[in-house]
Amino acid sequence: MSRFTDADRASALAAARAHVASVPLCVVTETLKIGASSRVFAGQYGELPAVLKWFQTENAAQIVTDAQTELAAVAPRLSTGPLQINRCLLARPDLGLLVLSNAPGERLTGVIAAAPPAERAALMQQAGAWLTAYIGPRHRTADFGPGYWLKRLSSRQIPLLDEGLLTTLMDSLTDMATDLRGARVTQAATHGDFAAINLHYADGVMTGIDVQGTAWLPVARDIAKFLAWSTIHCPAPGPSLCGVPRADFAAILTGKALPLSEVETILPFFIGTQLYGRLLENHRHSTRGDITRQAILNFLEWRKT
């Protein structure tokens, strides 16, 4: 249940209407989300349905500029056909305002959850193709530093209930890190928050949303995030691999998303770190918490083989 009331949403809507009153063609019609540092609204830009993001931090102007720049960089590869990105209709850094085209369809999370196995595999394959198209030529190789990612996790508080499980998982990841340190890793200008919740799907077209700026990250991390998210939010029966559905693992990698050396080493490491983080977030949720715990147990069992 949302912690924001109808009165909160009405107040946010009134504030947004006042904020964009001087902006031609902008109409705000509904509050979609109230965040700690931004608010999201439905509306129109001229005759087009639109999503309006109002950033309210000290660096709001930079956030808007960065998002506009990144969307312009990927638009040539994601403007037509089955792989698309929502367009930047207007950027007003001075107002912390970003106006985006509306992504058609429903979030991919729900589509995957309802899909039979063959259709689910096709959707996973298309998601992998979308990430490859998003990256385009913007990739490089570098030395891998797994300690950075483990340090980020170890700085977070562990819930008492899951202390034993997460400690065992951290020990396993630390052991993996010893062998992976200095390995070659593919980095790219990726989406940065690549998950089914940030893709919409309608009539065969997959449209990405929620681009914040250019994020150079290991490609394996984006793929691992997508797989871990889907495992927890769109659970599927069948055998697992590295804690996630084996069929999902194979489908999203169809094509040339990652070299085989990373598929067998760095990708599993990032799946483990993603499951660790997901349990920190989901440990109080009765369903998602239990699914995540089972996925971690499956990961640890895979590590024994």
Side-chain angles (χ1 to χ4, degrees):
M1 181 179 295
S2 173
R3 58 191 174 92
F4 296 104
T5 65
D6 289 343
D8 294 328
R9 296 179 182 278
S11 176
L13 183 61
R17 285 173 170 165
H19 190 66
V20 305
S22 62
V23 181
L25 305 179
C26 272
V27 177
V28 189
T29 58
E30 181 186 357
T31 303
L32 298 179
K33 182 179 178 182
I34 303 174
S37 59
S38 65
R39 298 177 180 184
V40 183
F41 305 90
Q44 286 185 276
Y45 184 67
E47 298 298 319
L48 298 174
V51 173
L52 298 89
K53 291 189 172 184
W54 177 12
F55 299 95
Q56 299 178 317
T57 57
E58 291 184 359
N59 64 335
Q62 190 62 54
I63 293 173
V64 171
T65 299
D66 289 347
Q68 179 187 27
T69 300
E70 178 67 3
L71 285 167
V74 300
R77 298 188 295 276
L78 292 168
S79 292
T80 60
L83 310 173
Q84 298 191 24
I85 192 82
N86 59 345
R87 293 177 291 124
C88 178
L89 303 177
L90 176 70
R92 286 288 301 268
D94 57 318
L95 297 176
L97 179 67
L98 194 63
V99 182
L100 303 164
S101 63
N102 189 55
E106 63 176 296
R107 291 189 187 272
L108 188 60
T109 307
V111 180
I112 290 176
E119 184 179 337
R120 181 182 178 112
L123 291 168
M124 285 286 172
Q125 182 176 349
Q126 189 172 351
W130 187 94
L131 180 62
T132 299
Y134 184 98
I135 292 170
R138 303 180 302 167
H139 53 81
R140 65 194 182 199
T141 58
D143 291 338
F144 187 43
Y148 167 80
W149 301 100
L150 295 183
K151 185 176 180 180
R152 288 183 52 167
L153 290 178
S154 62
S155 65
R156 301 171 66 178
Q157 184 175 357
I158 298 178
L160 185 61
L161 173 64
D162 295 304
E163 184 176 8
L165 182 60
L166 288 175
T167 298
T168 302
L169 177 56
M170 179 58 74
D171 289 344
S172 181
L173 292 170
T174 301
D175 184 58
M176 294 177 75
T178 301
D179 294 330
L180 293 175
R181 190 173 297 112
R184 299 301 285 175
V185 61
T186 303
Q187 298 176 341
T190 70
H191 182 278
D193 194 12
F194 184 54
I197 196 173
N198 286 327
L199 290 166
H200 281 227
Y201 186 81
D203 300 323
V205 177
M206 200 169 281
T207 305
I209 63 170
D210 204 26
V211 169
Q212 294 289 325
T214 305
W216 279 87
L217 295 165
V219 177
R221 180 183 178 274
D222 262 30
I223 296 172
K225 182 164 191 171
F226 195 97
L227 288 170
W229 175 274
S230 300
T231 298
I232 296 163
H233 292 264
C234 325
S240 69
L241 179 65
C242 309
V244 302
R246 180 181 291 269
D248 290 356
F249 188 102
I252 201 169
L253 291 168
T254 300
K256 47 186 178 181
L258 276 181
L260 183 61
S261 59
E262 294 182 46
V263 170
E264 296 178 343
T265 55
I266 293 175
L267 178 56
F269 172 82
F270 274 120
I271 290 174
T273 64
Q274 286 293 318
L275 293 175
Y276 189 108
R278 295 275 79 80
L279 186 53
L280 292 180
E281 295 176 5
N282 293 322
H283 70 275
R284 290 191 180 93
H285 193 283
S286 58
T287 302
R288 292 198 297 268
D290 285 346
I291 292 172
T292 310
R293 291 181 187 99
Q294 185 58 55
I296 291 173
L297 290 172
N298 291 342
F299 178 89
L300 294 171
E301 188 62 31
W302 165 80
R303 283 281 291 146
K304 294 177 183 179
T305 61

